[in-house]
Amino acid sequence: MMTLPTTFDGPIDLGIIGGTGLYNLECLKAIAILPPMETPWGFTSSPVTISKVTTTRDIDGQPSINKDFHVAFISRHGMHHEYPPTRVPFRANIAALKHLECKAVLSFSAVGSLQHHIRPRDFVLPQQIIDRTKGIRESSYYNDEGLVGHVAFGNPFSHEFAKYIYQFRDKISNGDEHCALHFNKDLTVVCMEGPQFSTRAESKMYRMLGGDVINMSVIPEAKLARECELPYQMVCMSTDYDAWKDEEEPVTVEQVIGHLTNNGMNANVLASCIIESMAHELPEFMVNGDGLKGSIKMSISTKPTGMSQETLQKLRYLFPDYW
């Protein structure tokens, strides 16, 4: 098999963060594998696989596909799942996608359900986050000494991106049974530290707080994407009912793994639909930056004259045109 290049010149359209199974979509062909990328915040959690669209499938009767549409994949927990949630190099992963000139980031994550109507194997497009991590994860590019930045995060996900994904809601299934894709403006994902699952008391508390699903990955990933002006949406894939149901045994690893295969297949189907549609016509939120362009330049309070050269170099890695 031909060895793939380890470099790539040119912008990336879509960044995808998730499991390794997403690398082998039928609509894509890998054209480069970049070794774990070194950024000012360390190395990415995996090599970065660059792929281009090769599909000839018609979309709404229109066969035209942009063959120059490129996708970059990063495995959040590493190629061998060696990074626990707390140790994922989130800053490096998002910085690398920004440096590659991605226009948006699509994220996939397994979650536990905190609501009866969100069943195992259902998918969820959350629009809000409750942060229950413990402050031990590096969650910002703008909290170094000599640099002050305050970034708006009231709506942590891209609503337009979520609406775009929701149009493919009929594509996921569990054999003959349809699996729901849940989406509304109040759907909330709780992010806990882990790596342990919740106690029953914690799980019930998260329900009282308004949580719909729970995972260990969305923070700081969503915060960092916002700091990079990248439209970001996570697709949450339900594997269990967490621990809040008194009539059921608390979630086990075996139970979670039992649903992961089906979810992985549906994730591939959904990702393929999204990619093929984007390659047919780039959505407006990727063209205009979802209203985020320029927001960081206004969010940095420290003047360049007050920054160290090291700090300036870090900022220029993300925004070469700003400083």
Side-chain angles (χ1 to χ4, degrees), residues 75-119:
S75 180
R76 181 185 294 111
H77 295 286
M79 297 299 291
H80 307 288
H81 213 94
E82 62 267 36
Y83 289 99
T86 300
R87 304 300 177 194
V88 171
F90 290 103
R91 292 199 296 180
N93 288 348
I94 297 296
L97 294 178
K98 177 65 176 180
H99 192 68
L100 290 170
E101 301 182 41
C102 279
K103 298 179 179 68
V105 176
L106 174 63
S107 174
F108 287 86
S109 174
V111 300
S113 170
L114 296 171
Q115 301 296 334
H116 285 282
H117 67 281
I118 300 175
R119 305 171 302 169

Side-chain angles (χ1 to χ4, degrees), residues 275-296:
I275 290 167
E276 290 177 339
S277 180
M278 286 180 172
H280 171 62
E281 183 178 2
L282 203 64
E284 187 63 25
F285 71 86
M286 292 174 74
V287 175
N288 63 23
D290 205 26
L292 297 175
K293 288 183 178 179
S295 60
I296 294 304

Side-chain angles (χ1 to χ4, degrees), residues 239-254:
T239 60
D240 58 85
Y241 279 115
D242 203 48
W244 56 273
K245 279 193 168 186
D246 289 322
E247 67 275 19
E248 294 188 11
E249 290 297 316
V251 60
T252 65
V253 174
E254 290 78 13

